[in-house]
Amino acid sequence: MKLAIKDVQGNSQGELEVKFPLIEDGNGTQAVHDVVVAHQAGQRMGTACTKNVGEVAGTNKKPWRQKGTGRARAGSFQSPLWRGGGVVFGPKPRDFSKKVSRKTRQLALRKALSERLRAGDVVLVEEFKLESAKTKEFIGVLSALEVKGSALIIAQATDKNLTLASRNVPNVALATSDSLNTYDVLRPDKLLFTRGAFEQLESRLTKD
């Protein structure tokens, strides 16, 4: 498979042959599911906490005597039946993270990128360099490259002008090729790679 390379004005700069083998059919679908679930689980704080009967502040004194008051029997102010009492089986701090093997993560990334390539959602630019940190210039580049909707720009390294120019543009995010994951690949409408970033990602995907 070949990808067309453009410059920031939208002019053609040749083609690039995709080196890693694209995944066909339904292979890797389960890996993508596992990796995305693990990623989203890892974003959870897991800090929700409630107090049980033993942790609620109170006294061991009986609220009122057992008989003769006409009220229901009660033995504790900390009862779960009472307002301000303990919570039965409430949440406690926990770790939601899930472990996924390195090979599964690599398979999932290859599968996700293969689908985006086949769908034509990957745009390749020779180099994404801005002369200034102006948002107007950044939007002009996106327009020249015909990138609409949400987009993820993947560069080989962080660029100050690119970071400053894109931070006020909604639905546009930045990433580097060494930190790119399956969730990042699946989320936006378009993936905008620099040539160096795509080649660096290819080297990641071709490793055993």
Side-chain angles (χ1 to χ4, degrees):
M1 182 177 187
K2 292 184 178 181
L3 281 177
I5 306 173
K6 299 181 180 180
D7 59 16
V8 290
Q9 284 80 36
N11 302 319
S12 177
Q13 298 293 313
E15 293 182 331
L16 178 70
E17 183 74 30
V18 178
K19 295 178 182 177
F20 70 92
L22 301 185
I23 299 179
E24 304 290 341
D25 303 324
N27 297 332
T29 304
Q30 186 61 44
V32 171
H33 176 269
D34 293 343
V35 169
V36 170
V37 169
H39 176 84
Q40 292 180 321
Q43 304 303 305
R44 299 183 67 177
M45 295 292 289
T47 54
C49 183
T50 55
K51 292 182 178 181
N52 59 32
V53 174
E55 295 169 330
V56 174
T59 174
N60 291 328
K61 183 181 178 182
K62 199 170 165 62
W64 49 77
R65 66 179 189 268
Q66 182 80 350
K67 291 178 176 292
T69 63
R71 289 181 287 189
R73 294 171 290 184
S76 172
F77 287 102
Q78 297 99 306
S79 170
L81 303 178
W82 285 37
R83 181 177 180 275
V87 177
V88 180
F89 305 131
K92 288 291 184 182
R94 55 170 291 194
D95 182 13
F96 285 96
S97 63
K98 300 176 183 292
K99 290 185 178 180
V100 180
S101 69
R102 182 184 63 81
K103 285 190 175 182
T104 302
R105 291 197 304 270
Q106 190 180 42
L107 174 61
L109 184 57
R110 278 181 55 203
K111 173 65 175 178
L113 192 58
S114 297
E115 293 299 325
R116 299 311 300 268
L117 285 167
R118 270 195 288 268
D121 296 331
V122 176
V123 179
L124 199 60
V125 63
E126 183 67 39
E127 194 175 14
F128 206 124
K129 288 288 185 181
L130 300 178
E131 295 180 1
S132 65
K134 292 184 177 179
T135 303
K136 183 178 181 180
E137 182 183 353
F138 174 75
I139 293 176
V141 172
L142 293 184
S143 178
L145 295 172
E146 299 180 351
V147 175
K148 300 178 181 179
S150 60
L152 178 66
I153 300 171
I154 303 101
Q156 198 166 359
T158 56
D159 181 85
K160 185 177 180 181
N161 283 348
L162 184 58
T163 302
L164 294 175
S166 63
R167 63 183 179 178
N168 287 332
V169 181
N171 300 321
V172 171
L174 303 180
T176 55
S177 53
D178 56 350
S179 66
L180 190 67
N181 58 53
T182 304
Y183 184 78
D184 292 336
V185 171
L186 295 174
R187 195 174 185 188
D189 295 328
K190 291 289 184 180
L191 297 170
L192 179 57
F193 282 92
T194 64
R195 180 171 184 165
F198 191 82
E199 290 175 344
Q200 190 175 20
L201 180 61
E202 279 186 320
S203 66
R204 274 180 60 190
L205 296 178
T206 52
K207 287 180 181 178
D208 293 332

